[in-house]
Amino acid sequence: MDKLIITGGKRLDGEIRISGAKNSALPILAATLLADGPITIGNLPHLHDITTMIELFGRMGVQPTIDEKLNVEVDTSSITTLVAPYELVKTMRASILVLGPMVARFGYAEVALPGGCAIGSRPVDLHIRGLEAMGADISVEDGYIKARAPEGGLRGAHYFFDTVSVTGTENILMAAALANGRSVIENAAREPEVVDLANCLIAMGANIQGAGTATITVDGVKRLAGGRYMVMPDRIETGTYLVAAAATGGRVKLKDTDPTILEAVLLKLEESGAMVDTGSDWISLDMKGNRPKAVNLRTAPYPAFPTDMQAQFVSLNAVAEGTGTVIETVFENRFMHVYEMVRMGAKVQVEGNTCIVTGVPQLKSAPVMATDLRASASLVIAGLVAEGDTLVDRIYHIDRGYECIEEKLQLLGATIRRVPG
């Protein structure tokens, strides 16, 4: 397995472009299964999870084509099987997103129970119950979810999520787009990536109201057409590079992003002492060489502070002035990065779903091991502010969510390189 070696102590300074959002690209790719004509998706990030989804399409008989600008065209007319096999699904939880579109469009689906980051319970029963409410007959056998639509297709339904679920909302939203009649999804996820998916479906001909609110109404249509759609920028990648700059006392400008979709993060960065400026498609941050101030935060579903930025702010607090309290309310097992940071000299106390971080002037380098995608990013940030050479192992997690992370950090002046395992 590849590793990253980071020589810390340099302030980040420069400009980079933000990639398309992985958490939008994956459901939007799944949504192409609903189109009865070719559809082209642009601004896809070059990531392992995207490659896995395209490979999954290939196993199903769909052969996406990629042009010189990395736009992907999907034409489902060649589909030969409605099975998503375990050997692909096990590496990526987002594979579950093909379930709703396949049942809605083709009337049947077999999808292996998914894998992915080990950050806590993310049950698929929310997806299953939603599809059952729309008339699907579903069983779980031999590690596979087997779903069959009733004769005449899925029916519109009124479905309430007892727990807010992004992928659950996305799966039911896609299924409802082709269901007969009206569907009302209550306690829906409000994340920008859900809105991006809805906008893509609307561009394909879907009738959707309320995306971005807790209640989404979908009037099913007979068919969805192909076309073109551009994926939104990645708000978590944006936030990660902003935190990295703040932790190092640096200055960055991030282009091709959207400041309106990470207001909670920008607020906390300003609390830490950063000067933040924004335009329609850019964000700049300047610490003027100063050490950040510790911030308190609590994660919660959008529009509150995102759980996917929690680990990065733990790294910032680790070298900040003062003590910051971080409360994780979304996933129950998302402080695994803390114990690696402690090996680098961080002063962190974990009590249940809360960690209390007392900043130190500088961390010390150490070999560390990534445990999940965002933990990986937090350890890279820790390496940037540590004295000496930090070796980050198991970086395949990083490659699932960050496009060319070492190249982008090098453009900002960091000393970082990838070495083969």
Side-chain angles (χ1 to χ4, degrees):
M1 287 180 281
D2 289 357
K3 302 173 176 61
L4 289 176
I5 297 178
I6 306 163
T7 302
K10 289 189 175 181
R11 293 177 184 169
L12 297 189
D13 193 333
E15 297 184 3
I16 56 171
R17 176 191 173 274
I18 293 302
S19 302
K22 181 196 84 159
N23 289 342
S24 268
L26 291 170
I28 285 171
L29 281 173
T32 64
L33 294 169
L34 293 166
D36 65 4
I39 180 168
T40 300
I41 307 300
N43 201 34
L44 289 169
H46 186 57
L47 297 172
H48 186 264
D49 279 9
I50 302 298
T51 304
T52 300
M53 184 68 86
I54 292 172
E55 186 179 350
L56 174 59
F57 281 8
R59 293 287 189 93
M60 295 164 60
V62 178
Q63 298 299 332
T65 57
I66 304 174
D67 67 17
E68 68 281 357
K69 295 182 179 180
L70 296 181
N71 298 311
V72 174
E73 182 185 89
V74 180
D75 184 351
T76 60
S77 62
S78 62
I79 197 163
T80 56
T81 179
L82 300 172
V83 177
Y86 173 71
E87 60 265 26
L88 288 177
V89 174
K90 69 179 180 180
T91 67
M92 184 180 66
R93 296 193 69 91
S95 303
I96 191 71
L97 288 166
V98 301
L99 180 64
M102 285 201 295
V103 176
R105 171 99 187 280
F106 303 105
Y108 184 75
E110 274 186 48
V111 180
L113 291 168
C117 289
I119 58 174
S121 174
R122 296 194 275 190
V124 298
D125 61 320
L126 298 172
H127 305 244
I128 292 173
R129 290 203 300 267
L131 290 171
E132 286 177 333
M134 302 171 80
D137 180 28
I138 300 179
S139 61
V140 179
E141 303 172 21
D142 303 321
Y144 278 78
I145 303 167
K146 298 182 179 182
R148 188 178 300 277
E151 187 173 349
L154 294 176
R155 303 184 294 267
H158 194 128
Y159 184 67
F160 177 85
F161 279 97
D162 56 13
T163 302
V164 176
S165 168
V166 173
T167 55
T169 299
E170 291 167 341
N171 234 337
I172 303 310
L173 175 62
M174 288 186 283
L178 285 182
N180 297 307
R182 171 169 289 188
S183 295
V184 179
I185 306 169
E186 297 215 55
N187 200 25
R190 300 162 62 185
E191 271 72 3
E193 294 80 10
V194 174
V195 177
D196 204 29
L197 171 64
N199 288 338
C200 177
L201 292 169
I202 290 168
M204 295 161 65
N207 189 344
I208 299 169
Q209 306 290 330
T213 74
T215 303
I216 303 175
T217 303
V218 186
D219 287 303
V221 297
K222 295 296 184 184
R223 61 180 290 271
L224 292 176
R228 300 183 66 88
Y229 192 78
M230 298 290 287
V231 171
M232 65 176 277
D234 194 316
R235 63 191 173 104
I236 305 303
E237 185 195 29
T238 301
T240 298
Y241 286 114
L242 291 173
V243 171
T248 64
R251 176 184 63 183
V252 295
K253 183 175 183 179
L254 307 182
K255 300 177 292 185
D256 295 338
T257 189
D258 182 354
T260 67
I261 56 177
L262 67 164
E263 292 175 344
V265 171
L266 297 182
L267 178 64
K268 288 299 173 183
L269 286 166
E270 289 177 333
E271 281 185 28
S272 78
M275 294 185 61
V276 177
D277 195 11
T278 62
S280 61
D281 63 352
W282 59 268
I283 303 172
S284 67
L285 176 145
D286 192 352
M287 289 297 291
K288 297 191 177 298
N290 296 321
R291 184 180 171 192
K293 300 179 180 68
V295 296
N296 301 321
L297 62 90
R298 173 191 292 266
T299 69
Y302 190 86
F305 191 91
T307 180
D308 279 353
M309 285 300 305
Q310 174 258 108
Q312 297 89 316
F313 270 83
V314 170
S315 291
L316 181 137
N317 278 348
V319 293
E321 295 178 1
T323 298
T325 300
V326 177
I327 303 172
E328 174 60 58
T329 72
V330 179
F331 292 119
E332 74 275 14
N333 193 25
R334 211 166 197 186
F335 284 140
M336 291 185 287
H337 51 282
V338 165
Y339 306 105
E340 297 297 295
M341 287 187 198
V342 168
R343 299 179 63 243
M344 301 176 70
K347 293 184 178 179
V348 188
Q349 181 179 356
V350 177
E351 298 176 0
N353 70 334
T354 301
C355 77
I356 302 164
V357 190
T358 301
V360 298
Q362 190 172 37
L363 299 177
K364 305 291 185 182
S365 62
V368 292
M369 184 172 64
T371 52
D372 65 69
L373 171 53
R374 305 308 171 185
S376 307
S378 73
L379 295 177
V380 169
I381 295 170
L384 292 171
V385 295
E387 180 183 352
D389 291 343
T390 297
L391 186 146
V392 183
D393 203 353
R394 295 178 67 181
I395 63 166
Y396 60 86
H397 288 294
I398 291 181
D399 293 336
R400 289 185 48 239
Y402 291 91
E403 181 178 39
C404 305
I405 189 169
E406 68 269 28
E407 287 93 337
K408 289 188 177 183
L409 286 171
Q410 287 165 1
L411 287 172
L412 297 175
T415 302
I416 178 173
R417 61 189 174 94
R418 181 182 295 251
V419 294

